[in-house]
Amino acid sequence: SLKSIVQVETLGEFGVFFTLFLVGLEFSPERLRKVWKISLQGPCYMTVLMIAFGLLWGHLLQIRPTQSVFISTCLSLSSTPLVSRFLAGTVRGDKEGDIDYSSVLLGMLVMQDVQLGLFIAVMPTLIQAGVSTYSSIFKEILRILILIGQILFSLAAVLLICLVIKTYLIGPYYRKLHAESKGNKEILILGISAFIFLMLTITELLDVSMELGCFLAGALISSQGHMVTEEIMACIEPIRDFLAIIFFASIGLHVFPTFVIYELTVLLFLTLSVVIMKFVLAVLVLSLILPKTSQYIKWIVSAGLAQVSEFSFVLGSRARRAGIISREVYLLILSVTTLSLLLAPALWRAAIMKCVPRPERRSST
């Protein structure tokens, strides 16, 4: 009965923005500094391994390399909004001198959002590479290297802008908002929303993902102290909850029930294969990069990364329009993504029950 799914998806996108803002609000820059090496290395290794496996399977099944790379990259991403909901209320439970799983998991997910922005930028070149001759492959590789350089420059610019805002702007801006919103919370909500949209606009203009801008907006405001964080969370959480409901409902709009019923056996096999592969690869990568004292968290972090990101819907639709993948492959990606998101809560709960000590378990589930 919906006339335009795009309108529902747009409202759902606001749910993602506010979810990541609240994640950033609870995730202080000090915690991000503690896990930045793991957050940087983990997603990069996982993506490379997923692409390598994808090319191997693509060669065996005689699938074009560009299609194999695209599908593997889609499947390597994990859902930041979903895992953020899993971690709601646990992000502040950090132990002094130790690395906790929520910091590692959120750091890796933020890095994956950066990778998503990079992949969207590289996609037009990937499309051209699919139709070009071998003589122009070196030009395409050079173009991809230039794009990677541009993304790294953009990230440096974003970090510099954040430093300037944190040092000179965010303090006076919040104090002005707080003074004006005495007995009138609408002004506080409007001011914070404006700041979120300012940050996502900056990151979008610099060709970095808008989701990263929302996360950084929360991290910048959290630098003003615990009382500020509590006040803003009380105002923004109801809005986030409502929009997040629309976001998760919009995921269901991408599923074609008849296709799922006809291909149920294949879809279940593919979904379980993808989830198990992502879990095993994450465990292997984390075993190499985590310190020995924190090895036990690799099972929980791997369970959080084992599903497929809902942004594969966006990438899949663009690739289908560009002719990289067929309609059948597009429907398979949508269905596998949705089924993996449905499996994710059970896998997360099992990992928490198995690996988290009893006192921490209540807030984690």
Side-chain angles (χ1 to χ4, degrees):
S1 61
L2 290 169
K3 302 300 179 189
S4 178
I5 291 178
V6 175
Q7 294 170 346
V8 182
E9 288 176 337
T10 304
L11 279 175
E13 195 73 10
F14 286 121
V16 176
F17 295 157
F18 281 101
T19 297
L20 285 167
F21 168 73
L22 287 179
V23 168
L25 200 62
E26 294 184 320
F27 198 76
S28 64
E30 289 73 27
R31 299 181 60 158
L32 191 57
R33 205 174 295 126
K34 190 185 288 187
V35 298
W36 75 270
K37 284 185 180 178
I38 299 167
S39 304
L40 194 66
Q41 292 174 357
C44 293
Y45 293 155
M46 282 187 65
T47 303
V48 169
L49 286 172
M50 284 290 288
I51 290 173
F53 273 103
L55 287 170
L56 178 64
W57 279 104
H59 179 71
L60 294 173
L61 299 172
Q62 297 183 335
I63 300 172
R64 295 198 317 271
T66 50
Q67 192 166 321
S68 299
V69 169
F70 173 80
I71 294 169
S72 304
T73 308
C74 269
L75 298 179
S76 70
L77 300 169
S78 303
S79 174
T80 306
L82 185 70
V83 178
S84 302
R85 295 301 294 153
F86 291 161
L87 293 173
T90 67
V91 182
R92 285 176 242 159
D94 195 16
K95 294 179 181 177
E96 201 63 40
D98 196 11
I99 297 175
D100 84 311
Y101 62 86
S102 58
S103 301
V104 175
L105 193 46
L106 287 172
M108 291 180 73
L109 288 167
V110 168
M111 185 60 199
Q112 282 192 353
D113 287 334
V114 174
Q115 284 183 344
L116 175 68
L118 176 64
F119 189 62
I120 289 173
V122 168
M123 192 185 283
T125 306
L126 191 67
I127 294 165
Q128 290 175 13
V131 296
S132 60
T133 58
Y134 283 103
S135 60
S136 63
I137 281 178
F138 289 111
K139 289 182 182 177
E140 302 301 338
I141 291 171
L142 183 63
R143 194 176 300 169
I144 287 173
L145 290 173
I146 291 169
L147 279 169
I148 291 171
Q150 288 174 350
I151 292 289
L152 292 174
F153 176 78
S154 297
L155 283 173
V158 167
L159 292 175
L160 184 63
I161 290 167
C162 286
L163 188 63
V164 171
I165 291 172
K166 182 177 182 291
T167 308
Y168 299 107
L169 298 177
I170 194 66
Y173 179 71
Y174 179 76
R175 285 193 292 273
K176 178 69 174 172
L177 267 184
H178 185 72
E180 294 291 337
S181 64
K182 293 288 186 183
N184 186 7
K185 294 298 179 187
E186 288 88 347
I187 291 176
L188 181 63
I189 293 169
L190 188 62
I192 294 301
S193 301
F195 182 65
I196 295 170
F197 288 113
L198 170 69
M199 289 302 298
L200 71 86
T201 303
I202 288 171
T203 51
E204 176 72 3
L205 288 173
L206 290 169
D207 291 324
V208 187
S209 71
M210 291 187 287
E211 291 74 25
L212 181 64
C214 300
F215 177 85
L216 291 173
L220 286 169
I221 289 177
S222 75
S223 66
Q224 297 303 298
H226 182 66
M227 296 294 289
V228 172
T229 301
E230 289 291 326
E231 182 181 20
I232 292 173
M233 280 189 70
C235 295
I236 300 295
E237 267 188 333
I239 301 169
R240 187 277 310 270
D241 289 341
F242 173 70
L243 293 171
I245 288 167
I246 296 175
F247 167 72
F248 287 114
S250 70
I251 290 176
L253 295 174
H254 287 276
V255 181
F256 298 90
T258 50
F259 180 78
V260 173
I261 291 166
Y262 288 139
E263 306 290 345
L264 187 60
T265 308
V266 175
L267 289 174
L268 286 174
F269 173 76
L270 287 174
T271 304
L272 288 172
S273 301
V274 168
V275 169
I276 291 168
M277 182 186 290
K278 289 194 72 175
F279 183 82
V280 170
L281 287 179
V283 169
L284 289 173
V285 168
L286 290 167
S287 298
L288 295 173
I289 63 176
L290 279 174
K292 289 184 179 179
T293 54
S294 302
Q295 282 290 319
Y296 74 97
I297 69 170
K298 67 186 176 186
W299 305 105
I300 306 170
V301 175
S302 300
L305 295 172
Q307 32 44 47
V308 182
S309 173
E310 66 289 336
F311 287 111
S312 61
F313 299 149
V314 180
L315 293 173
S317 62
R318 290 189 185 189
R320 185 188 164 200
R321 285 197 298 270
I324 296 178
I325 57 174
S326 62
R327 183 175 181 274
E328 288 74 20
V329 173
Y330 173 62
L331 291 176
L332 280 173
I333 290 173
L334 294 191
S335 302
V336 167
T337 300
T338 308
L339 289 173
S340 74
L341 291 171
L342 289 173
L343 276 176
L347 186 60
W348 175 259
R349 199 169 289 116
I352 291 293
M353 294 295 288
K354 192 76 176 171
C355 302
V356 176
R358 285 185 182 277
E360 297 175 33
R361 202 176 285 170
R362 189 177 299 165
S363 61
S364 299
T365 54

